[in-house]
Amino acid sequence: MLSKEAEDFLTNLKVYLTSYGKNEKEIQEIVTELEDHLVQAENSGKSIEAITGGSPKAYMDQLKNEMKTDRKEVISLLLLFFPLALSFVILPDALRGEAAYSLLEIIGNLSAFVISLGVFILFMRMESSGSMSKGVRILMYWIVGAGPLAMFLGIKLIDKSLGLSPVFIATPSQSMVIAGVCALFLIGYSILSKTWVTIIAPCIIIAPDFIAGLFTSNPQNQAMISLGIMYAAILLIVLYLVIQNKRKKRSR
């Protein structure tokens, strides 16, 4: 039976190697082999440092450098991330019947996707390698969680203030189809990945707009109120996760 420290190390190792686009099958083989070594070491009274040489990150980097990057793995992750991120942006607009985008929004949202993906991968690497301090970790949680939403909303506000004409306008029937496809994709992903994030996140994006509409009809005021509600919801979720994490640590 592995200790909690050893289990965390194996989980972090898997995330770390995955963030560098290593082959999933090879990663699992390494994790399984390493798990056997850790079990033997701990049964002999040795700590995890006996395997890692005292530096988990250095050990992870050594394994990473010995493995080849799987381009197919990288492409598959990108193909998964792109429609996932796209659904978060398009679903609220389709439900409101406002699926219309200017050239600025299209280019801006694509740029936001790329930046968000880069920041998320960086966060995965830093978090799994244990190279972040507590303060940096909290900051990165906020950047990863709220940064993309702020960029998407910022692009929308700039577009509205400039009054740019859309280059794509969905018809009511097209909006219904788009909303249905996005909803099915997010629900399917949630079931396969066993996480509620892909359902909760769209709700955080959609609900504030409807609530803001009850207070004012001014588009700019609605955007500001919506942004405030959204950040408040994110703050509550972060606080909930922090409290849950502390409870789990106390129960061990």
Side-chain angles (χ1 to χ4, degrees), residues 4 30-31 46 106 115 125 197 204 207 213 218 225 227 231 238 248:
K4 184 65 174 60
I30 289 174
V31 169
K46 298 179 182 179
I106 294 173
I115 294 172
R125 292 175 180 176
V197 174
I204 294 176
N218 184 285
I225 294 174
L227 185 61
Y231 274 109
V238 171
K248 286 181 180 179

Side-chain angles (χ1 to χ4, degrees), residues 43-77:
N43 288 339
S44 301
K46 298 179 182 179
S47 65
I48 188 174
E49 281 75 17
I51 299 294
T52 64
S55 176
K57 186 179 185 305
Y59 186 78
M60 290 180 183
D61 284 334
Q62 179 184 343
L63 290 175
K64 177 199 72 177
N65 294 332
E66 292 174 354
M67 298 174 67
K68 291 183 179 180
T69 299
D70 190 339
R71 292 184 179 180
K72 290 183 179 179
E73 198 76 23
V74 174
I75 293 174
S76 64
L77 288 173

Side-chain angles (χ1 to χ4, degrees), residues 245-252:
N245 188 43
K246 288 183 178 180
R247 286 178 178 175
K248 286 181 180 179
K249 288 182 178 179
R250 289 173 184 172
S251 63
R252 289 171 187 167

